[in-house]
Amino acid sequence: MKQTLKKFMSIALMMICVFVFTACGAAKEEEKIDETLSMNMTTTAEGLTEAIVNLSDEEIVSYKESGDSFTENAMEAWENNKDDLGEYKGMDTSVVAEITDGYSVTVPAEFSIRKAEIVFTFDEEGAPTGMAVNPEYTMGEKMQQALMNTLMGIGIVFVMLVFLSLLISLFKYVPKLEEAFTKKGKKEEPKAEKKVAPAPAAAPAATVPETDDKELIAVIAAAIAAAEGTSTDSFVVRSIKKINRKKW
C-alpha cells in the first residue's frame, strides 16, 4: 500500500513539474515581445482596420493596383468578406501574439451582420506583411455551409459519373468509326478498262474479173467461123447464153 502511494506521489510531482516548466516557458515567451513594439503594432493594426473598413468600392479597386504586396493582399481579403459582414460598428481590445516569422495582431471587430476577427501579421521589425478577415459564423450558418459544400461535392461526383457512363457507352461505336475512317482513307483502285477487240475486217468481196464482152464475142465468133469454114463477116453474134446440157 505504501509503495503504491509513493508511486502515485511521484507521478503527481512529475506532472506538477512539467506544468510549472511549461508555464515558465510561456511566461518567458510572452516576455520576449517588447512593449513598445507591441503598442506600435497594435496601433498600426487598429488604424489600418479603421481605414480599410471605410473604403469605397472605387478606392478598393484603386488600392488593388498599387503594386504593394501588403496593400493588395489586404484589399483582396476585405473585398472577399465585406458583403458578409455589413456596416462597421466598432472594435474590441486587440491581442498581440508571437508567431514563427514575426508577430500577429488580432483585432476583434463588430459589424451590422456579424462579428469578425481581422488578423494582421508583422515581421520581426514590426512592419505589416499580411492581413486576413475571419468572419464569425453561427452554428446554424456553419451547418448550412457544410451542407451546401456536401451537396456540391455529391453533385460534382454525380455529374462526373454520368459523364463517364456516357463516355463508356460510346466505346461501342469506336470500331465502326475506325473501320469507316480506314475505308475512307484507302484509295479506290481504278477498274481495268475492258478493251474492245476491233471487229474483224470484212473479207473483201470476191471480185469476178470483168471480161470485155467484145473480146468474148470475137473469140466465140472466130470459133464458130473456124467450125463452119466461113469468115466472121458472114454472121453477127448478138448475145451469149449459157445452156445447161445434161450428160447422157
Side-chain angles (χ1 to χ4, degrees):
M1 185 68 180
K2 290 182 179 180
Q3 291 180 355
T4 304
L5 183 61
K6 287 181 180 180
K7 289 181 180 180
F8 177 76
M9 291 297 294
S10 299
I11 295 172
L13 288 173
M14 290 178 63
M15 293 179 66
I16 292 172
C17 290
V18 171
F19 176 76
V20 170
F21 286 139
T22 303
C24 291
K28 288 181 179 179
E29 288 180 358
E30 290 180 359
E31 290 177 358
K32 289 181 181 179
I33 302 176
D34 184 71
E35 292 185 1
T36 303
L37 180 61
S38 177
M39 288 294 296
N40 291 336
M41 291 188 297
T42 300
T43 302
T44 301
E46 292 177 352
L48 288 171
T49 300
E50 291 281 353
I52 291 172
V53 297
N54 291 306
L55 291 175
S56 63
D57 294 339
E58 292 78 8
E59 290 174 330
I60 292 174
V61 173
S62 176
Y63 281 118
K64 283 177 66 176
E65 300 175 355
S66 63
D68 180 68
S69 60
F70 167 75
T71 304
E72 292 178 355
N73 171 260
M75 294 300 105
E76 189 74 24
W78 173 242
E79 186 178 33
N80 292 338
N81 294 277
K82 67 186 186 69
D83 293 336
D84 293 337
L85 300 177
E87 186 180 355
Y88 175 69
K89 297 295 184 182
M91 68 177 67
D92 294 333
T93 304
S94 302
V95 178
V96 182
E98 186 175 4
I99 57 177
T100 303
D101 53 352
Y103 306 93
S104 67
V105 179
T106 302
V107 182
E110 185 176 357
F111 298 86
S112 60
I113 298 177
R114 59 174 54 86
K115 294 181 180 180
E117 288 184 348
I118 303 177
V119 182
F120 292 90
T121 55
F122 295 83
D123 59 17
E124 294 180 355
E125 296 179 356
T129 57
M131 169 185 157
V133 180
N134 303 322
E136 295 181 1
Y137 295 100
T138 62
M139 183 59 66
E141 291 173 335
K142 291 180 180 179
M143 292 297 293
Q144 183 179 2
Q145 188 174 4
L147 179 62
M148 291 298 297
N149 292 337
T150 302
L151 292 176
M152 185 177 295
I154 294 174
I156 293 173
V157 173
F158 180 76
V159 171
M160 290 302 297
L161 289 174
V162 172
F163 175 75
L164 289 175
S165 300
L166 293 174
L167 186 62
I168 293 172
S169 66
L170 294 176
F171 283 171
K172 61 183 179 181
Y173 298 106
V174 172
K176 295 180 181 180
L177 292 174
E178 185 177 359
E179 184 179 356
F181 281 114
T182 303
K183 288 182 178 180
K184 187 177 180 180
K186 290 182 178 179
K187 294 182 179 180
E188 294 183 358
E189 296 181 358
K191 296 181 179 180
E193 296 180 358
K194 294 182 179 179
K195 295 183 177 180
V196 181
T207 57
V208 179
E210 295 180 356
T211 306
D212 192 355
D213 292 340
K214 292 181 178 181
E215 292 179 358
L216 181 59
I217 292 171
V219 171
I220 293 173
I224 293 172
E228 295 293 333
T230 62
S231 64
T232 57
D233 295 334
S234 60
F235 62 91
V236 177
V237 180
R238 297 189 181 280
S239 62
I240 301 170
K241 293 182 180 179
K242 183 179 179 180
I243 300 173
N244 294 325
R245 293 182 179 181
K246 294 182 180 180
K247 294 181 180 180
W248 297 94

